Amino acid sequence: MEEKFRVESDLLGELKVPADAYYGVQTQRGINNYHISRKKMRDYPDYVIAIAYVKLAAVQTNHSLGVINDEIAGAISQACREIIDGKLHENFPIDMMQGGAGTSVNMNANEVIANRALEIMGHKKGEYQYCYPNDHCNCGQSTNDVYPTTIRLAIIRMNKSLVASLTGLISALRYKGDEYKDTIKMGRTQLQDAVPMTAGQEFNAYANNLEEEILNLERNVKLLHEINMGGTAIGTGLNAVPGFAKLCAANLSKLTGETFISASDLVEATPDTGAYVSYSSALKRLAVKLSKICNDFRLMASGPRCGLHEINLPAKAPGSSIMPGKVNPVIPEVTNQVCFKVIGNDTTISFAAEAGQLELNVMEPVITECMFESLWWLRNAIDTLTEECVLGITVNRERCYEMVKNSIGIVTALNPYIGYKTSTKVAKEALETNRSVYDIVLEQDIMTKEQLDLALDPKEMLKPHKFELPKK
């Protein structure tokens, strides 16, 4: 069956568009031009919803200022609300990677909203004399203020999902911290034995470490609440009526529940990508910390016979096509790899931000794709790590205690009583003779058994305490 088309035209001439598509000629050109990332705008629902909110705030502003009449404003508003509710998303097929500083994205939204508005008013798709993508849906706007505002709102929405996932991981770590609060293990520095601690302390330290990142994300996401709507092409406000900028920010705030403010200098705000750099840096910082934690899990689970074997990670897949019985730490491994991707994306965002020229940064599409990818991948990786790994971790209590008991590192606890020099001699002899610190101290009559038992009580080595022992 021959597919039905309608013919639309733009600056470059006529082009066939699928008859049932809500998008139009400029979106079709974008489809034809960009086959880069294989990721589409519609793959990120928050992105599509965000631009619908921006367009809704704009039409409300234009209607209030008397620029657009009741019928057209009402139809455009209804179309925007339908997109916000999850409808028509399949009509946003633009590749995430594109030239034109986001023009294809903005026109995709303008065309979909215009054609749906035409239907609402009783007209056919493409009868733009009644509602035109540029004159009505893009009234008082430009890609150069719509696109960055949309990106900011999308990131704000996606950040909430990321924080929710991170909160879940923190809760799982705290649960493990409570479960193993009395399990003694050896702490290590530079991969060498240090001093005893509990497995609970270790898990809680991870939780506290990540909790800092929630504060850091929220601190940086606030930078994205300053927008340049009403600046139009370069921030001078050409083609926007007086009062548009502040009223549009207020309307967008009311619609989304976020506190958006209009930039005090729209010319400065239009090419500025500093907020993206800061927020991406916060994602990178989270990724660095998360990857370090996964490194620790892999080390502590190493073995089972020839490694640390302090913890057991849930077995998720056979680990080898040649070695029977091998099970690999696949969940921490995949999380590590996601973190590497986020770190790389941050570098790309930095280069793209630097590449801005004069009154516009045309590299915002790659900033957008990298930012969305980092947010999406991180959230999914954190959920996977929480559900498929952390909640199922068990600690090998006996193994951990045996390593503490046989460790040279416990000699550190004797420093306040016998001095660093004597402690060093004991440690050296223990290493050379493969004997325990405990036995050597007793054999050389350096301390009594009562004194030694008290000094080396594992519970006493987990916190600050006074250095008082029974007299010899």
Side-chain angles (χ1 to χ4, degrees), residues 225-399:
H225 286 77
E226 183 182 86
I227 60 175
N228 69 324
M229 286 298 290
T232 68
I234 63 169
T236 60
L238 181 65
N239 289 358
V241 296
F244 182 97
K246 289 187 177 180
L247 182 56
C248 190
N251 284 334
L252 188 58
S253 298
K254 189 182 295 183
L255 288 167
T256 62
E258 300 292 337
T259 306
F260 288 102
I261 59 170
S262 180
S264 58
D265 184 345
L266 294 174
V267 173
E268 179 275 334
T270 299
D272 181 35
T273 54
Y276 305 138
V277 174
S278 294
Y279 183 76
S280 176
S281 179
L283 294 179
K284 179 184 70 173
R285 189 174 115 161
L286 169 59
V288 168
K289 288 189 174 186
L290 193 63
S291 190
K292 186 270 181 191
I293 292 170
C294 288
N295 292 340
D296 287 358
F297 287 164
R298 290 163 58 209
L299 277 171
M300 290 188 288
S302 61
R305 298 288 178 86
C306 302
L308 295 183
H309 193 45
E310 290 184 339
I311 65 174
N312 305 300
L313 303 179
K316 289 298 173 180
S320 173
S321 61
I322 188 174
M323 293 173 280
K326 190 168 185 283
V327 178
N328 294 332
V330 294
I331 304 301
E333 285 176 356
V334 74
T335 306
N336 281 131
Q337 293 172 77
V338 168
C339 293
F340 304 157
K341 181 69 168 174
V342 172
I343 294 166
N345 282 346
D346 178 69
T347 300
T348 300
I349 288 168
S350 296
F351 274 111
E354 183 274 336
Q357 297 165 324
L358 304 177
E359 279 66 56
L360 183 67
N361 189 319
V362 302
M363 307 301 175
E364 283 191 339
V366 75
I367 291 176
T368 304
E369 165 55 19
C370 287
M371 197 81 79
F372 288 3
E373 187 176 64
S374 291
L375 278 158
W376 194 268
W377 283 34
L378 263 179
R379 188 191 75 181
N380 290 339
I382 288 171
D383 287 343
T384 301
L385 183 65
T386 303
E387 296 161 13
E388 304 297 335
C389 181
V390 174
L391 287 172
I393 289 176
T394 57
V395 177
N396 298 317
R397 298 174 192 266
E398 291 184 4
R399 166 72 171 168

